[in-house]
């Protein structure tokens, strides 16, 4: 029993230190700039590939291994400096929600670059000599490499602790984090301090990639899992706090170790459950950094600049009807491949509209929206597979009800206590927990999913419509998309939708005027979850297969990308974005690496240059062709925060 306990503690320490090595750079950059960098996983991966290029598969010595990890850190630090100059400094006075999505796009760019340079093959690296043999103290076997990881994590923590609290670099960083404007007044070089801190953060990411290389297979998806765990450690410990990240990493390691012992049938599930419970109990973390909670929880205070359409609504209605008419004729003149793509886009339109109810109209962000989509998809798959003659319209209604109930439970527990980054992390944790449950459930098909899903028939008593063929179900999808889109347009342009926009613009003022802000946010969350579940239920018979990948946190990014590409300042933005994204993806589907690179670069360009998306660009064209844009209040700007960052002010002043 004692041996088992010691072994569990050892595994917990090894796993926790591996997480901390990645989380250290993440929390360092947030502590200074309040920038939660989702691209950290991508740069971690680049550091690992760089180290692999230096050392090869069979490293000759421990010193070569350490040198390769150091080279990975230096390369990534230089890339971080370039990234800061091109991207990060432009995000310092941007809404935190957009920062998350912009850095996610940056992660896609990292993935695309990695595929172009190193390919998509899997590689494995053996531990260096001296770390490839087990140790046998007290009659127990311990991995020498895991002991090395524990030691590396402790060294990184001690160095950062001394640097931040004892050295000039740490004093400079703390001054910049507390009050950058005052730091500049006192004569500190703000630009130099920020550049140094950014390079240190990226260096830690690259170094972690090299040091942890023998811990897993090297692939283009390497950074995903470590990024997620690093986020969780930072959230538990407190955003921007090194000590908190260290303790949070150890907590995750202990939870993972206990999960392996007590619940071996579902490994990894306990981490997501514990994180969700912790967020509901203490969303600010164990050791919140100065100003971290306020910044991280900040909400966007704008939903679109004032726009006066130059083309009449009637003309747009004619164009919309014509577009639907053309889509209705597609089965008559295109083959099965493009038809399947268009049908999938119709589903993505509904999915993106559901997400935009939260972000575009309410100012809330869900990074786990794929969970609601999967609820509807699996419900439809199970009903159609196991219940003969089940009414499909009833299945859709059941999916909406189940999605609404799930959203209501989450909303009641979470919306009164958290928003911003914390809500985003909670939703992704719950979605990942659902993914693990599905992946280990035999009834739900485990990793293989549910296949050969039959397409339904609509029985209205007097007549019956068989949707078994692709053409018939495509027409049904088109009709369902038009009806759902029309309903959402009516709902969001009603008094309910206008109230949601008021809440997004200024929740405190809306509450002062008598609006029940919590109730409206909960209602939006419930409606959004219900519509996302309906989208999943429509998708299952169309694709005829539902897998656990439908719940992956990367799948939750799809409605974000579609919405931002089209524009959150317009109801039709997600519709336009879904079509544009599908066109880009389909056109680049055979270009290995270029697809992620093109999409990521395009999304970054939208965030930085055209935050209102394709619809916003069209509105600018309208104003230039037909007249000057009406002057809008400054607070209505959709992306820029009402308060310009002091860091941005100082850097701008220094540039002048």
């Amino acid at each position: 029993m004692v041996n088992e306990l010691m072994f569990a503690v050892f595994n917990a320490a090894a796993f926790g230190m591996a997480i901390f090595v990645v989380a250290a750079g993440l929390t360092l950059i947030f502590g200074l700039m309040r920038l939660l960098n989702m691209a950290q996983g991508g740069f971690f991966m680049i550091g690992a590939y760089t180290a692999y290029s230096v050392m090869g598969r069979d490293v000759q010595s421990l010193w070569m291994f350490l040198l390769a990890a150091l080279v990975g850190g230096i390369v990534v630090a230089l890339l971080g400096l370039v990234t800061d100059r091109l991207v990060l400094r432009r995000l310092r006075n941007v809404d935190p929600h957009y920062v998350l999505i912009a850095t996610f796009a940056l992660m896609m760019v990292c993935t695309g670059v990695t595929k172009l340079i190193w390919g998509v093959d899997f590689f494995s690296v053996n531990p260096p000599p001296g770390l490839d043999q087990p140790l046998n103290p007290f009659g127990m076997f311990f991995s020498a490499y895991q002991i090395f990881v524990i030691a590396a994590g402790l060294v990184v923590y001690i160095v950062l602790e001394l640097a931040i609290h004892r050295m000039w670099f740490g004093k400079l960083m703390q001054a910049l984090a507390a009050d950058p404007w005052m730091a500049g007044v006192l004569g500190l070089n703000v630009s130099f301090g920020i550049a140094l801190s950014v390079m240190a953060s990226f260096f830690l990411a690259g170094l972690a990639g090299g040091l942890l290389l023998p811990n897993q297979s090297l692939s283009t998806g390497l950074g995903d899992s470590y990024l997620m765990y690093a986020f969780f450690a930072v959230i538990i410990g407190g955003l921007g706090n090194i000590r908190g990240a260290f303790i949070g990493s150890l907590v995750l390691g202990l939870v993972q170790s206990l999960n392996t012992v007590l619940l071996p049938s579902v490994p990894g599930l306990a981490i997501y459950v514990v994180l969700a419970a912790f967020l509901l109990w203490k969303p600010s973390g164990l050791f919140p950094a100065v100003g971290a909670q306020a910044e991280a929880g900040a909400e966007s205070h704008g939903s679109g600049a004032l726009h006066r359409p130059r083309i009449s609504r009637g003309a747009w209605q004619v164009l919309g009807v014509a577009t639907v008419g053309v889509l209705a004729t597609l089965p008559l003149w295109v083959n099965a491949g493009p038809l399947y793509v268009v049908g999938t886009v119709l589903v993505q339109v509904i999915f993106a509209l559901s997400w935009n109810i939260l972000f575009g109209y309410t100012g809330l962000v869900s990074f786990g929206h794929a969970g609601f989509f999967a609820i509807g998809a699996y419900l439809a798959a199970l009903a159609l597979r196991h219940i003969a003659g089940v009414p499909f319209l009833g299945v859709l209604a059941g999916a909406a009800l189940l999605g609404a109930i799930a959203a209501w439970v989450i909303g009641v527990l979470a919306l009164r206590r958290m928003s911003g980054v914390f809500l985003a992390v909670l939703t992704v944790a719950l979605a990942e927990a659902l993914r693990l449950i599905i992946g280990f459930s035999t009834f739900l098909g485990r990793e293989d999913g549910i296949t050969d899903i039959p397409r339904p028939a609509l029985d209205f008593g007097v007549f019956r419509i068989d949707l078994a063929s692709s053409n018939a179900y495509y027409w049904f999808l088109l009709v369902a998309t038009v009806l759902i889109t029309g309903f959402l347009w009516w709902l969001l342009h009603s008094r309910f939708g206008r109230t949601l926009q008021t809440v997004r613009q200024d929740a405190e003022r809306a509450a002062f005027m008598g609006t029940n802000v919590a109730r409206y946010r909960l209602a939006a969350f419930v409606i959004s979850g219900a519509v996302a579940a309906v989208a999943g239920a429509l998708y299952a018979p169309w694709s005829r297969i539902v897998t656990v990948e439908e719940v992956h946190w990367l799948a939750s990014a799809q409605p974000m990308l579609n919405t931002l590409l089209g524009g959150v300042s317009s109801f039709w933005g997600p519709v336009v974005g879904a079509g544009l994204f599908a066109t880009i993806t389909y056109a680049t589907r055979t270009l290995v690496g270029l697809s992620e690179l093109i999409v990521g670069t395009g999304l970054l360009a939208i965030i930085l240059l055209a935050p209102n998306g394709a619809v916003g660009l069209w509105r600018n064209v309208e104003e230039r062709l037909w007249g000057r844009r009406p002057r809008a209040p400054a607070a209505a700007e959709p992306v820029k925060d009402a308060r310009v960052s002091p860091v941005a002010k100082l850097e701008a002043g220094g540039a002048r």
Side-chain angles (χ1 to χ4, degrees):
M1 183 66 182
V2 175
N3 289 350
E4 291 181 359
L5 180 60
M6 290 183 63
F7 191 73
V9 171
F10 172 77
N11 285 337
F15 186 71
M17 288 300 96
I19 294 174
F20 174 71
V21 172
V22 182
L26 188 65
T27 196
L28 189 66
I29 196 171
F30 186 90
L32 174 68
M33 296 190 300
R34 303 292 180 260
L35 194 152
L36 202 52
N37 183 17
M38 288 196 70
Q40 196 81 358
F43 287 101
F44 165 83
M45 176 178 63
I46 291 177
Y49 271 98
T50 302
Y52 174 79
S53 300
V54 174
M55 74 175 76
R57 184 177 182 276
D58 296 309
V59 60
Q60 300 302 315
S61 67
L62 176 60
W63 295 111
M64 176 58 71
F65 173 71
L66 295 176
L67 176 63
L70 186 63
V71 171
I74 293 173
V75 169
V76 172
L78 295 175
L79 290 176
L81 183 61
V82 175
T83 303
D84 179 60
R85 291 290 184 266
L86 297 179
V87 179
L88 298 184
R89 65 166 48 191
R90 300 172 182 266
L91 299 177
R92 288 169 197 159
N93 57 336
V94 170
D95 184 288
H97 300 134
Y98 283 85
V99 172
L100 285 175
I101 298 167
T103 53
F104 176 83
L106 192 57
M107 184 178 71
M108 294 183 67
V109 173
C110 292
T111 302
V113 170
T114 303
K115 287 183 178 181
L116 287 176
I117 297 176
W118 287 283
V120 295
D121 295 333
F122 284 72
F123 302 98
S124 61
V125 175
N126 297 321
L131 300 180
D132 56 350
Q133 299 296 326
L135 301 179
N136 188 23
F138 310 110
M140 295 179 295
F141 288 93
F142 294 105
S143 167
Y145 175 72
Q146 286 185 312
I147 294 176
F148 168 80
V149 171
I150 295 174
L154 289 173
V155 169
V156 170
Y157 171 69
I158 292 171
V159 170
L160 289 177
E161 186 72 14
L162 292 176
I164 292 174
H165 296 285
R166 302 292 181 184
M167 299 175 63
W168 67 270
F169 167 75
K171 301 297 182 182
L172 172 62
M173 179 179 152
Q174 290 185 62
L176 291 177
D179 195 332
W181 182 83
M182 182 59 69
V185 170
L186 294 176
L188 296 178
N189 191 327
V190 175
S191 298
F192 174 75
I194 289 175
L196 199 60
S197 300
V198 168
M199 290 185 69
S201 171
F202 279 80
F203 172 79
L204 288 172
L207 180 68
L211 293 178
L212 299 178
L213 189 52
N215 214 32
Q216 67 282 303
S217 297
L218 184 60
S219 70
T220 54
L222 173 64
D224 295 348
S225 59
Y226 275 102
L227 172 66
M228 191 61 58
Y229 288 138
F231 262 119
F232 294 169
V234 170
I235 291 293
I236 290 176
L239 291 171
N241 192 296
I242 291 293
R243 295 174 184 173
F246 182 77
I247 295 176
S249 300
L250 291 178
V251 169
L252 291 181
L254 180 61
V255 170
Q256 174 71 2
S257 183
L258 292 176
N259 191 164
T260 304
V261 175
L262 302 177
L263 198 62
S265 59
V266 191
L269 177 63
I271 285 182
Y272 300 104
V273 175
V274 168
L275 176 70
F278 185 87
L279 282 172
L280 293 172
W281 169 59
K282 196 174 180 62
S284 60
L286 293 173
F287 305 102
V290 178
Q293 185 175 359
E295 293 293 339
E299 296 170 17
S300 174
H301 294 287
S303 59
L306 181 64
H307 173 72
R308 184 178 300 165
R310 302 299 179 176
I311 299 178
S312 67
R313 176 176 294 181
W316 285 116
Q317 290 173 342
V318 170
L319 180 61
V321 171
T323 301
V324 172
V326 172
L327 291 176
T329 65
L330 286 184
L332 306 178
W333 53 276
V334 301
N335 57 35
L339 187 67
Y340 178 80
V341 172
V342 175
T344 304
V345 171
L346 294 177
V347 174
Q348 289 298 329
V349 164
I350 301 173
F351 193 23
L353 286 171
S354 74
W355 187 81
N356 199 39
I357 293 173
L358 289 181
F359 186 60
Y361 285 84
T362 319
L364 302 173
V365 175
S366 169
F367 264 41
H369 223 55
F372 301 115
F373 185 90
I375 287 174
Y378 272 91
L379 176 65
L382 291 173
L384 293 173
R385 278 289 304 269
H386 300 291
I387 304 177
V390 61
F392 188 57
L393 295 181
V395 171
L396 295 179
L401 179 61
L402 194 58
I405 292 173
W408 181 83
V409 172
I410 297 172
V412 166
L413 294 175
L415 290 181
R416 290 182 181 272
R417 295 181 55 81
M418 67 185 68
S419 60
V421 171
F422 301 109
L423 179 63
V425 173
L426 174 66
T427 54
V428 76
L430 294 175
E432 286 295 291
L434 177 63
R435 182 178 67 87
L436 287 175
I437 293 173
I438 293 173
F440 289 97
S441 171
T442 304
F443 179 67
L444 297 177
R446 300 173 69 91
E447 295 290 340
D448 296 330
I450 301 176
T451 58
D452 298 324
I453 301 170
R455 287 180 179 147
L458 303 179
D459 193 348
F460 296 99
V462 180
F463 62 95
R464 185 173 184 271
I465 303 176
D466 190 359
L467 303 179
S469 68
S470 296
N471 290 355
Y473 194 80
Y474 169 81
W475 280 316
F476 172 76
L477 263 183
L478 180 61
V479 172
T481 302
V482 171
L483 291 178
I484 292 173
T485 302
F487 167 75
L488 292 179
W489 189 93
W490 168 81
L491 179 68
L492 295 175
H493 286 78
S494 67
R495 180 180 178 182
F496 174 77
R498 291 192 296 271
T499 304
L500 288 183
Q501 289 181 311
T502 302
V503 170
R504 175 183 169 89
Q505 290 279 352
D506 195 327
E508 292 183 3
R509 183 177 297 178
F512 178 77
M513 298 298 292
T515 301
N516 191 328
V517 173
R519 181 180 297 175
Y520 273 93
R521 283 177 171 170
L522 179 60
F525 204 77
V526 169
I527 294 170
S528 177
V531 175
V534 170
L538 290 170
Y539 175 75
W542 178 242
S543 66
R544 306 198 66 180
I545 179 173
V546 176
T547 69
V548 71
E549 292 303 315
E550 311 299 341
V551 206
H552 197 279
W553 67 280
L554 292 176
S556 295
Q558 189 64 57
M560 303 179 204
L561 301 179
N562 291 338
T563 301
L564 286 170
L565 185 60
V568 297
S569 60
S570 168
F571 172 84
W572 299 105
V575 179
V576 175
L580 290 176
F581 188 88
T583 302
I584 296 171
T585 303
Y586 188 77
T588 59
R589 66 191 185 281
T590 60
L591 305 176
V592 178
L594 282 182
S595 178
E596 292 90 346
L597 186 60
I598 292 173
V599 173
T601 304
L603 187 58
L604 266 179
I606 290 170
I607 294 293
L608 299 176
L609 304 176
N612 287 322
V615 172
L617 289 177
W618 170 251
R619 288 176 173 177
N620 290 336
V621 171
E622 270 192 323
E623 298 298 342
R624 291 186 179 184
L625 290 178
W626 286 289
R628 189 176 179 180
R629 189 183 186 90
R631 194 172 186 84
E637 190 70 25
V639 178
K640 303 292 184 183
D641 192 272
R643 297 170 291 118
V644 178
S645 166
V647 175
K649 286 182 178 179
L650 283 172
E651 289 189 334
R656 289 194 297 268

